[in-house]
mmCIF file with all atom_site columns, all heavy atoms in Angstrom:
data_model
loop_
_atom_site.group_PDB
_atom_site.id
_atom_site.type_symbol
_atom_site.label_atom_id
_atom_site.label_alt_id
_atom_site.label_comp_id
_atom_site.label_asym_id
_atom_site.label_entity_id
_atom_site.label_seq_id
_atom_site.pdbx_PDB_ins_code
_atom_site.Cartn_x
_atom_site.Cartn_y
_atom_site.Cartn_z
_atom_site.occupancy
_atom_site.B_iso_or_equiv
_atom_site.pdbx_formal_charge
_atom_site.auth_seq_id
_atom_site.auth_comp_id
_atom_site.auth_asym_id
_atom_site.auth_atom_id
_atom_site.pdbx_PDB_model_num
ATOM 1   N N     . TRP A 1 226 ? 86.764  91.874 -9.020  1.00 0.00 ? 485 TRP A N     1
ATOM 2   C CA    . TRP A 1 226 ? 88.186  91.500 -8.937  1.00 0.00 ? 485 TRP A CA    1
ATOM 3   C C     . TRP A 1 226 ? 89.047  92.176 -9.996  1.00 0.00 ? 485 TRP A C     1
ATOM 4   O O     . TRP A 1 226 ? 90.225  92.431 -9.767  1.00 0.00 ? 485 TRP A O     1
ATOM 5   C CB    . TRP A 1 226 ? 88.345  90.005 -9.102  1.00 0.00 ? 485 TRP A CB    1
ATOM 6   C CG    . TRP A 1 226 ? 87.319  89.168 -8.458  1.00 0.00 ? 485 TRP A CG    1
ATOM 7   C CD1   . TRP A 1 226 ? 86.610  89.501 -7.322  1.00 0.00 ? 485 TRP A CD1   1
ATOM 8   C CD2   . TRP A 1 226 ? 86.874  87.874 -8.837  1.00 0.00 ? 485 TRP A CD2   1
ATOM 9   N NE1   . TRP A 1 226 ? 85.753  88.488 -7.006  1.00 0.00 ? 485 TRP A NE1   1
ATOM 10  C CE2   . TRP A 1 226 ? 85.891  87.474 -7.904  1.00 0.00 ? 485 TRP A CE2   1
ATOM 11  C CE3   . TRP A 1 226 ? 87.209  87.010 -9.863  1.00 0.00 ? 485 TRP A CE3   1
ATOM 12  C CZ2   . TRP A 1 226 ? 85.223  86.261 -8.002  1.00 0.00 ? 485 TRP A CZ2   1
ATOM 13  C CZ3   . TRP A 1 226 ? 86.552  85.796 -9.960  1.00 0.00 ? 485 TRP A CZ3   1
ATOM 14  C CH2   . TRP A 1 226 ? 85.579  85.416 -9.027  1.00 0.00 ? 485 TRP A CH2   1
ATOM 15  N N     . GLY A 1 248 ? 102.213 88.344 -13.576 1.00 0.00 ? 507 GLY A N     1
ATOM 16  C CA    . GLY A 1 248 ? 102.607 86.942 -13.536 1.00 0.00 ? 507 GLY A CA    1
ATOM 17  C C     . GLY A 1 248 ? 101.757 86.143 -14.510 1.00 0.00 ? 507 GLY A C     1
ATOM 18  O O     . GLY A 1 248 ? 100.643 86.497 -14.853 1.00 0.00 ? 507 GLY A O     1
ATOM 19  N N     . LEU A 1 251 ? 98.127  85.297 -13.987 1.00 0.00 ? 510 LEU A N     1
ATOM 20  C CA    . LEU A 1 251 ? 97.070  86.304 -14.056 1.00 0.00 ? 510 LEU A CA    1
ATOM 21  C C     . LEU A 1 251 ? 96.456  86.391 -15.455 1.00 0.00 ? 510 LEU A C     1
ATOM 22  O O     . LEU A 1 251 ? 95.485  87.098 -15.679 1.00 0.00 ? 510 LEU A O     1
ATOM 23  C CB    . LEU A 1 251 ? 97.637  87.684 -13.691 1.00 0.00 ? 510 LEU A CB    1
ATOM 24  C CG    . LEU A 1 251 ? 98.097  87.832 -12.242 1.00 0.00 ? 510 LEU A CG    1
ATOM 25  C CD1   . LEU A 1 251 ? 98.580  89.251 -12.005 1.00 0.00 ? 510 LEU A CD1   1
ATOM 26  C CD2   . LEU A 1 251 ? 97.003  87.475 -11.271 1.00 0.00 ? 510 LEU A CD2   1
ATOM 27  N N     . LYS A 1 287 ? 104.945 75.006 -8.599  1.00 0.00 ? 546 LYS A N     1
ATOM 28  C CA    . LYS A 1 287 ? 104.769 76.449 -8.455  1.00 0.00 ? 546 LYS A CA    1
ATOM 29  C C     . LYS A 1 287 ? 104.766 76.861 -6.987  1.00 0.00 ? 546 LYS A C     1
ATOM 30  O O     . LYS A 1 287 ? 104.090 76.244 -6.158  1.00 0.00 ? 546 LYS A O     1
ATOM 31  C CB    . LYS A 1 287 ? 103.427 76.836 -9.092  1.00 0.00 ? 546 LYS A CB    1
ATOM 32  C CG    . LYS A 1 287 ? 103.027 78.265 -8.905  1.00 0.00 ? 546 LYS A CG    1
ATOM 33  C CD    . LYS A 1 287 ? 101.634 78.438 -9.513  1.00 0.00 ? 546 LYS A CD    1
ATOM 34  C CE    . LYS A 1 287 ? 101.086 79.796 -9.117  1.00 0.00 ? 546 LYS A CE    1
ATOM 35  N NZ    . LYS A 1 287 ? 99.698  79.951 -9.624  1.00 0.00 ? 546 LYS A NZ    1
ATOM 36  N N     . MET A 1 288 ? 105.540 77.886 -6.689  1.00 0.00 ? 547 MET A N     1
ATOM 37  C CA    . MET A 1 288 ? 105.500 78.431 -5.347  1.00 0.00 ? 547 MET A CA    1
ATOM 38  C C     . MET A 1 288 ? 104.223 79.255 -5.207  1.00 0.00 ? 547 MET A C     1
ATOM 39  O O     . MET A 1 288 ? 103.982 80.159 -5.998  1.00 0.00 ? 547 MET A O     1
ATOM 40  C CB    . MET A 1 288 ? 106.708 79.307 -5.060  1.00 0.00 ? 547 MET A CB    1
ATOM 41  C CG    . MET A 1 288 ? 106.742 79.844 -3.637  1.00 0.00 ? 547 MET A CG    1
ATOM 42  S SD    . MET A 1 288 ? 108.145 80.947 -3.285  1.00 0.00 ? 547 MET A SD    1
ATOM 43  C CE    . MET A 1 288 ? 109.491 79.774 -3.096  1.00 0.00 ? 547 MET A CE    1
ATOM 44  N N     . ASP A 1 404 ? 145.873 91.080 -13.784 1.00 0.00 ? 663 ASP A N     1
ATOM 45  C CA    . ASP A 1 404 ? 147.035 90.182 -13.679 1.00 0.00 ? 663 ASP A CA    1
ATOM 46  C C     . ASP A 1 404 ? 148.138 90.546 -14.657 1.00 0.00 ? 663 ASP A C     1
ATOM 47  O O     . ASP A 1 404 ? 149.178 89.875 -14.686 1.00 0.00 ? 663 ASP A O     1
ATOM 48  C CB    . ASP A 1 404 ? 146.610 88.733 -13.947 1.00 0.00 ? 663 ASP A CB    1
ATOM 49  C CG    . ASP A 1 404 ? 145.857 88.159 -12.757 1.00 0.00 ? 663 ASP A CG    1
ATOM 50  O OD1   . ASP A 1 404 ? 145.694 88.873 -11.750 1.00 0.00 ? 663 ASP A OD1   1
ATOM 51  O OD2   . ASP A 1 404 ? 145.418 86.982 -12.851 1.00 0.00 ? 663 ASP A OD2   1
ATOM 52  P P     . A   B 2 14  ? 116.738 79.687 -18.929 1.00 0.00 ? 248 A   B P     1
ATOM 53  O OP1   . A   B 2 14  ? 115.598 80.520 -18.560 1.00 0.00 ? 248 A   B OP1   1
ATOM 54  O OP2   . A   B 2 14  ? 116.510 78.284 -19.384 1.00 0.00 ? 248 A   B OP2   1
ATOM 55  O "O5'" . A   B 2 14  ? 117.591 80.492 -19.986 1.00 0.00 ? 248 A   B "O5'" 1
ATOM 56  C "C5'" . A   B 2 14  ? 117.881 79.940 -21.212 1.00 0.00 ? 248 A   B "C5'" 1
ATOM 57  C "C4'" . A   B 2 14  ? 119.016 80.697 -21.804 1.00 0.00 ? 248 A   B "C4'" 1
ATOM 58  O "O4'" . A   B 2 14  ? 120.261 80.080 -21.427 1.00 0.00 ? 248 A   B "O4'" 1
ATOM 59  C "C3'" . A   B 2 14  ? 119.026 80.671 -23.308 1.00 0.00 ? 248 A   B "C3'" 1
ATOM 60  O "O3'" . A   B 2 14  ? 118.241 81.719 -23.837 1.00 0.00 ? 248 A   B "O3'" 1
ATOM 61  C "C2'" . A   B 2 14  ? 120.489 80.824 -23.657 1.00 0.00 ? 248 A   B "C2'" 1
ATOM 62  O "O2'" . A   B 2 14  ? 120.893 82.174 -23.561 1.00 0.00 ? 248 A   B "O2'" 1
ATOM 63  C "C1'" . A   B 2 14  ? 121.139 80.041 -22.514 1.00 0.00 ? 248 A   B "C1'" 1
ATOM 64  N N9    . A   B 2 14  ? 121.397 78.637 -22.839 1.00 0.00 ? 248 A   B N9    1
ATOM 65  C C8    . A   B 2 14  ? 120.826 77.534 -22.289 1.00 0.00 ? 248 A   B C8    1
ATOM 66  N N7    . A   B 2 14  ? 121.266 76.398 -22.761 1.00 0.00 ? 248 A   B N7    1
ATOM 67  C C5    . A   B 2 14  ? 122.207 76.793 -23.712 1.00 0.00 ? 248 A   B C5    1
ATOM 68  C C6    . A   B 2 14  ? 123.060 76.073 -24.554 1.00 0.00 ? 248 A   B C6    1
ATOM 69  N N6    . A   B 2 14  ? 123.091 74.742 -24.613 1.00 0.00 ? 248 A   B N6    1
ATOM 70  N N1    . A   B 2 14  ? 123.882 76.770 -25.377 1.00 0.00 ? 248 A   B N1    1
ATOM 71  C C2    . A   B 2 14  ? 123.849 78.102 -25.320 1.00 0.00 ? 248 A   B C2    1
ATOM 72  N N3    . A   B 2 14  ? 123.092 78.910 -24.558 1.00 0.00 ? 248 A   B N3    1
ATOM 73  C C4    . A   B 2 14  ? 122.300 78.173 -23.758 1.00 0.00 ? 248 A   B C4    1
ATOM 74  P P     . A   B 2 25  ? 132.771 76.913 -7.301  1.00 0.00 ? 259 A   B P     1
ATOM 75  O OP1   . A   B 2 25  ? 133.204 77.205 -5.934  1.00 0.00 ? 259 A   B OP1   1
ATOM 76  O OP2   . A   B 2 25  ? 133.594 77.337 -8.484  1.00 0.00 ? 259 A   B OP2   1
ATOM 77  O "O5'" . A   B 2 25  ? 132.492 75.348 -7.456  1.00 0.00 ? 259 A   B "O5'" 1
ATOM 78  C "C5'" . A   B 2 25  ? 131.823 74.644 -6.410  1.00 0.00 ? 259 A   B "C5'" 1
ATOM 79  C "C4'" . A   B 2 25  ? 131.587 73.229 -6.829  1.00 0.00 ? 259 A   B "C4'" 1
ATOM 80  O "O4'" . A   B 2 25  ? 130.761 73.195 -8.033  1.00 0.00 ? 259 A   B "O4'" 1
ATOM 81  C "C3'" . A   B 2 25  ? 132.813 72.427 -7.216  1.00 0.00 ? 259 A   B "C3'" 1
ATOM 82  O "O3'" . A   B 2 25  ? 133.512 71.922 -6.104  1.00 0.00 ? 259 A   B "O3'" 1
ATOM 83  C "C2'" . A   B 2 25  ? 132.170 71.284 -8.003  1.00 0.00 ? 259 A   B "C2'" 1
ATOM 84  O "O2'" . A   B 2 25  ? 131.550 70.354 -7.189  1.00 0.00 ? 259 A   B "O2'" 1
ATOM 85  C "C1'" . A   B 2 25  ? 131.127 72.076 -8.807  1.00 0.00 ? 259 A   B "C1'" 1
ATOM 86  N N9    . A   B 2 25  ? 131.682 72.545 -10.075 1.00 0.00 ? 259 A   B N9    1
ATOM 87  C C8    . A   B 2 25  ? 132.071 73.804 -10.424 1.00 0.00 ? 259 A   B C8    1
ATOM 88  N N7    . A   B 2 25  ? 132.563 73.881 -11.643 1.00 0.00 ? 259 A   B N7    1
ATOM 89  C C5    . A   B 2 25  ? 132.487 72.585 -12.122 1.00 0.00 ? 259 A   B C5    1
ATOM 90  C C6    . A   B 2 25  ? 132.867 72.011 -13.348 1.00 0.00 ? 259 A   B C6    1
ATOM 91  N N6    . A   B 2 25  ? 133.393 72.676 -14.356 1.00 0.00 ? 259 A   B N6    1
ATOM 92  N N1    . A   B 2 25  ? 132.665 70.656 -13.496 1.00 0.00 ? 259 A   B N1    1
ATOM 93  C C2    . A   B 2 25  ? 132.129 69.984 -12.489 1.00 0.00 ? 259 A   B C2    1
ATOM 94  N N3    . A   B 2 25  ? 131.745 70.419 -11.281 1.00 0.00 ? 259 A   B N3    1
ATOM 95  C C4    . A   B 2 25  ? 131.947 71.745 -11.175 1.00 0.00 ? 259 A   B C4    1
ATOM 96  P P     . A   B 2 38  ? 138.735 83.655 -8.292  1.00 0.00 ? 272 A   B P     1
ATOM 97  O OP1   . A   B 2 38  ? 137.422 84.215 -8.638  1.00 0.00 ? 272 A   B OP1   1
ATOM 98  O OP2   . A   B 2 38  ? 138.929 82.181 -8.269  1.00 0.00 ? 272 A   B OP2   1
ATOM 99  O "O5'" . A   B 2 38  ? 139.844 84.249 -9.259  1.00 0.00 ? 272 A   B "O5'" 1
ATOM 100 C "C5'" . A   B 2 38  ? 139.880 85.647 -9.498  1.00 0.00 ? 272 A   B "C5'" 1
ATOM 101 C "C4'" . A   B 2 38  ? 141.094 85.968 -10.331 1.00 0.00 ? 272 A   B "C4'" 1
ATOM 102 O "O4'" . A   B 2 38  ? 142.300 85.649 -9.582  1.00 0.00 ? 272 A   B "O4'" 1
ATOM 103 C "C3'" . A   B 2 38  ? 141.242 85.149 -11.604 1.00 0.00 ? 272 A   B "C3'" 1
ATOM 104 O "O3'" . A   B 2 38  ? 140.453 85.675 -12.645 1.00 0.00 ? 272 A   B "O3'" 1
ATOM 105 C "C2'" . A   B 2 38  ? 142.726 85.241 -11.888 1.00 0.00 ? 272 A   B "C2'" 1
ATOM 106 O "O2'" . A   B 2 38  ? 143.076 86.499 -12.403 1.00 0.00 ? 272 A   B "O2'" 1
ATOM 107 C "C1'" . A   B 2 38  ? 143.271 85.122 -10.455 1.00 0.00 ? 272 A   B "C1'" 1
ATOM 108 N N9    . A   B 2 38  ? 143.532 83.729 -10.080 1.00 0.00 ? 272 A   B N9    1
ATOM 109 C C8    . A   B 2 38  ? 142.714 82.888 -9.347  1.00 0.00 ? 272 A   B C8    1
ATOM 110 N N7    . A   B 2 38  ? 143.207 81.687 -9.154  1.00 0.00 ? 272 A   B N7    1
ATOM 111 C C5    . A   B 2 38  ? 144.411 81.721 -9.841  1.00 0.00 ? 272 A   B C5    1
ATOM 112 C C6    . A   B 2 38  ? 145.398 80.750 -10.024 1.00 0.00 ? 272 A   B C6    1
ATOM 113 N N6    . A   B 2 38  ? 145.336 79.511 -9.520  1.00 0.00 ? 272 A   B N6    1
ATOM 114 N N1    . A   B 2 38  ? 146.493 81.090 -10.758 1.00 0.00 ? 272 A   B N1    1
ATOM 115 C C2    . A   B 2 38  ? 146.558 82.327 -11.267 1.00 0.00 ? 272 A   B C2    1
ATOM 116 N N3    . A   B 2 38  ? 145.691 83.340 -11.150 1.00 0.00 ? 272 A   B N3    1
ATOM 117 C C4    . A   B 2 38  ? 144.639 82.976 -10.421 1.00 0.00 ? 272 A   B C4    1
ATOM 118 P P     . C   B 2 40  ? 141.346 82.800 -18.843 1.00 0.00 ? 274 C   B P     1
ATOM 119 O OP1   . C   B 2 40  ? 140.867 83.466 -20.072 1.00 0.00 ? 274 C   B OP1   1
ATOM 120 O OP2   . C   B 2 40  ? 140.378 82.205 -17.893 1.00 0.00 ? 274 C   B OP2   1
ATOM 121 O "O5'" . C   B 2 40  ? 142.368 81.648 -19.255 1.00 0.00 ? 274 C   B "O5'" 1
ATOM 122 C "C5'" . C   B 2 40  ? 143.448 81.951 -20.122 1.00 0.00 ? 274 C   B "C5'" 1
ATOM 123 C "C4'" . C   B 2 40  ? 144.265 80.689 -20.336 1.00 0.00 ? 274 C   B "C4'" 1
ATOM 124 O "O4'" . C   B 2 40  ? 144.935 80.348 -19.093 1.00 0.00 ? 274 C   B "O4'" 1
ATOM 125 C "C3'" . C   B 2 40  ? 143.454 79.458 -20.682 1.00 0.00 ? 274 C   B "C3'" 1
ATOM 126 O "O3'" . C   B 2 40  ? 143.146 79.405 -22.077 1.00 0.00 ? 274 C   B "O3'" 1
ATOM 127 C "C2'" . C   B 2 40  ? 144.424 78.353 -20.255 1.00 0.00 ? 274 C   B "C2'" 1
ATOM 128 O "O2'" . C   B 2 40  ? 145.453 78.158 -21.205 1.00 0.00 ? 274 C   B "O2'" 1
ATOM 129 C "C1'" . C   B 2 40  ? 145.014 78.935 -18.995 1.00 0.00 ? 274 C   B "C1'" 1
ATOM 130 N N1    . C   B 2 40  ? 144.261 78.517 -17.781 1.00 0.00 ? 274 C   B N1    1
ATOM 131 C C2    . C   B 2 40  ? 144.536 77.237 -17.242 1.00 0.00 ? 274 C   B C2    1
ATOM 132 O O2    . C   B 2 40  ? 145.370 76.516 -17.803 1.00 0.00 ? 274 C   B O2    1
ATOM 133 N N3    . C   B 2 40  ? 143.857 76.834 -16.136 1.00 0.00 ? 274 C   B N3    1
ATOM 134 C C4    . C   B 2 40  ? 142.965 77.644 -15.573 1.00 0.00 ? 274 C   B C4    1
ATOM 135 N N4    . C   B 2 40  ? 142.331 77.200 -14.488 1.00 0.00 ? 274 C   B N4    1
ATOM 136 C C5    . C   B 2 40  ? 142.675 78.946 -16.092 1.00 0.00 ? 274 C   B C5    1
ATOM 137 C C6    . C   B 2 40  ? 143.350 79.325 -17.193 1.00 0.00 ? 274 C   B C6    1
ATOM 138 P P     . C   B 2 69  ? 98.768  77.249 -11.982 1.00 0.00 ? 303 C   B P     1
ATOM 139 O OP1   . C   B 2 69  ? 98.811  78.347 -11.009 1.00 0.00 ? 303 C   B OP1   1
ATOM 140 O OP2   . C   B 2 69  ? 98.439  75.861 -11.546 1.00 0.00 ? 303 C   B OP2   1
ATOM 141 O "O5'" . C   B 2 69  ? 97.791  77.622 -13.169 1.00 0.00 ? 303 C   B "O5'" 1
ATOM 142 C "C5'" . C   B 2 69  ? 97.881  78.887 -13.788 1.00 0.00 ? 303 C   B "C5'" 1
ATOM 143 C "C4'" . C   B 2 69  ? 96.969  78.946 -14.974 1.00 0.00 ? 303 C   B "C4'" 1
ATOM 144 O "O4'" . C   B 2 69  ? 97.407  77.966 -15.959 1.00 0.00 ? 303 C   B "O4'" 1
ATOM 145 C "C3'" . C   B 2 69  ? 95.533  78.511 -14.698 1.00 0.00 ? 303 C   B "C3'" 1
ATOM 146 O "O3'" . C   B 2 69  ? 94.779  79.515 -14.082 1.00 0.00 ? 303 C   B "O3'" 1
ATOM 147 C "C2'" . C   B 2 69  ? 95.061  78.165 -16.105 1.00 0.00 ? 303 C   B "C2'" 1
ATOM 148 O "O2'" . C   B 2 69  ? 94.825  79.325 -16.875 1.00 0.00 ? 303 C   B "O2'" 1
ATOM 149 C "C1'" . C   B 2 69  ? 96.289  77.453 -16.648 1.00 0.00 ? 303 C   B "C1'" 1
ATOM 150 N N1    . C   B 2 69  ? 96.211  75.990 -16.412 1.00 0.00 ? 303 C   B N1    1
ATOM 151 C C2    . C   B 2 69  ? 95.478  75.228 -17.306 1.00 0.00 ? 303 C   B C2    1
ATOM 152 O O2    . C   B 2 69  ? 94.912  75.783 -18.255 1.00 0.00 ? 303 C   B O2    1
ATOM 153 N N3    . C   B 2 69  ? 95.373  73.889 -17.116 1.00 0.00 ? 303 C   B N3    1
ATOM 154 C C4    . C   B 2 69  ? 95.991  73.307 -16.072 1.00 0.00 ? 303 C   B C4    1
ATOM 155 N N4    . C   B 2 69  ? 95.866  72.004 -15.934 1.00 0.00 ? 303 C   B N4    1
ATOM 156 C C5    . C   B 2 69  ? 96.760  74.078 -15.140 1.00 0.00 ? 303 C   B C5    1
ATOM 157 C C6    . C   B 2 69  ? 96.827  75.403 -15.339 1.00 0.00 ? 303 C   B C6    1
ATOM 158 P P     . C   B 2 72  ? 88.732  82.999 -9.400  1.00 0.00 ? 306 C   B P     1
ATOM 159 O OP1   . C   B 2 72  ? 88.074  82.127 -8.433  1.00 0.00 ? 306 C   B OP1   1
ATOM 160 O OP2   . C   B 2 72  ? 87.977  84.002 -10.139 1.00 0.00 ? 306 C   B OP2   1
ATOM 161 O "O5'" . C   B 2 72  ? 89.938  83.726 -8.653  1.00 0.00 ? 306 C   B "O5'" 1
ATOM 162 C "C5'" . C   B 2 72  ? 89.657  84.812 -7.787  1.00 0.00 ? 306 C   B "C5'" 1
ATOM 163 C "C4'" . C   B 2 72  ? 90.687  84.870 -6.712  1.00 0.00 ? 306 C   B "C4'" 1
ATOM 164 O "O4'" . C   B 2 72  ? 90.739  83.623 -6.010  1.00 0.00 ? 306 C   B "O4'" 1
ATOM 165 C "C3'" . C   B 2 72  ? 92.137  85.032 -7.163  1.00 0.00 ? 306 C   B "C3'" 1
ATOM 166 O "O3'" . C   B 2 72  ? 92.405  86.372 -7.520  1.00 0.00 ? 306 C   B "O3'" 1
ATOM 167 C "C2'" . C   B 2 72  ? 92.881  84.629 -5.911  1.00 0.00 ? 306 C   B "C2'" 1
ATOM 168 O "O2'" . C   B 2 72  ? 92.898  85.658 -4.956  1.00 0.00 ? 306 C   B "O2'" 1
ATOM 169 C "C1'" . C   B 2 72  ? 92.027  83.475 -5.416  1.00 0.00 ? 306 C   B "C1'" 1
ATOM 170 N N1    . C   B 2 72  ? 92.591  82.186 -5.789  1.00 0.00 ? 306 C   B N1    1
ATOM 171 C C2    . C   B 2 72  ? 93.485  81.583 -4.900  1.00 0.00 ? 306 C   B C2    1
ATOM 172 O O2    . C   B 2 72  ? 93.742  82.185 -3.842  1.00 0.00 ? 306 C   B O2    1
ATOM 173 N N3    . C   B 2 72  ? 94.045  80.398 -5.201  1.00 0.00 ? 306 C   B N3    1
ATOM 174 C C4    . C   B 2 72  ? 93.769  79.803 -6.336  1.00 0.00 ? 306 C   B C4    1
ATOM 175 N N4    . C   B 2 72  ? 94.332  78.645 -6.598  1.00 0.00 ? 306 C   B N4    1
ATOM 176 C C5    . C   B 2 72  ? 92.848  80.405 -7.284  1.00 0.00 ? 306 C   B C5    1
ATOM 177 C C6    . C   B 2 72  ? 92.291  81.575 -6.965  1.00 0.00 ? 306 C   B C6    1
ATOM 178 P P     . A   B 2 74  ? 99.359  87.169 -5.896  1.00 0.00 ? 308 A   B P     1
ATOM 179 O OP1   . A   B 2 74  ? 99.608  86.902 -4.487  1.00 0.00 ? 308 A   B OP1   1
ATOM 180 O OP2   . A   B 2 74  ? 98.259  88.038 -6.289  1.00 0.00 ? 308 A   B OP2   1
ATOM 181 O "O5'" . A   B 2 74  ? 100.747 87.707 -6.475  1.00 0.00 ? 308 A   B "O5'" 1
ATOM 182 C "C5'" . A   B 2 74  ? 100.839 88.928 -7.194  1.00 0.00 ? 308 A   B "C5'" 1
ATOM 183 C "C4'" . A   B 2 74  ? 101.635 88.645 -8.460  1.00 0.00 ? 308 A   B "C4'" 1
ATOM 184 O "O4'" . A   B 2 74  ? 102.840 87.945 -8.120  1.00 0.00 ? 308 A   B "O4'" 1
ATOM 185 C "C3'" . A   B 2 74  ? 100.919 87.722 -9.417  1.00 0.00 ? 308 A   B "C3'" 1
ATOM 186 O "O3'" . A   B 2 74  ? 100.027 88.438 -10.251 1.00 0.00 ? 308 A   B "O3'" 1
ATOM 187 C "C2'" . A   B 2 74  ? 102.068 87.094 -10.192 1.00 0.00 ? 308 A   B "C2'" 1
ATOM 188 O "O2'" . A   B 2 74  ? 102.473 87.932 -11.251 1.00 0.00 ? 308 A   B "O2'" 1
ATOM 189 C "C1'" . A   B 2 74  ? 103.159 87.045 -9.169  1.00 0.00 ? 308 A   B "C1'" 1
ATOM 190 N N9    . A   B 2 74  ? 103.317 85.715 -8.603  1.00 0.00 ? 308 A   B N9    1
ATOM 191 C C8    . A   B 2 74  ? 102.534 85.048 -7.706  1.00 0.00 ? 308 A   B C8    1
ATOM 192 N N7    . A   B 2 74  ? 102.959 83.841 -7.393  1.00 0.00 ? 308 A   B N7    1
ATOM 193 C C5    . A   B 2 74  ? 104.134 83.717 -8.138  1.00 0.00 ? 308 A   B C5    1
ATOM 194 C C6    . A   B 2 74  ? 105.085 82.673 -8.251  1.00 0.00 ? 308 A   B C6    1
ATOM 195 N N6    . A   B 2 74  ? 104.988 81.521 -7.589  1.00 0.00 ? 308 A   B N6    1
ATOM 196 N N1    . A   B 2 74  ? 106.115 82.874 -9.082  1.00 0.00 ? 308 A   B N1    1
ATOM 197 C C2    . A   B 2 74  ? 106.196 84.011 -9.749  1.00 0.00 ? 308 A   B C2    1
ATOM 198 N N3    . A   B 2 74  ? 105.378 85.045 -9.729  1.00 0.00 ? 308 A   B N3    1
ATOM 199 C C4    . A   B 2 74  ? 104.352 84.851 -8.892  1.00 0.00 ? 308 A   B C4    1
#
Side-chain angles (χ1 to χ4, degrees):
Chain A
W485 321 331
L510 295 182
K546 174 184 170 184
M547 183 182 283
D663 285 359

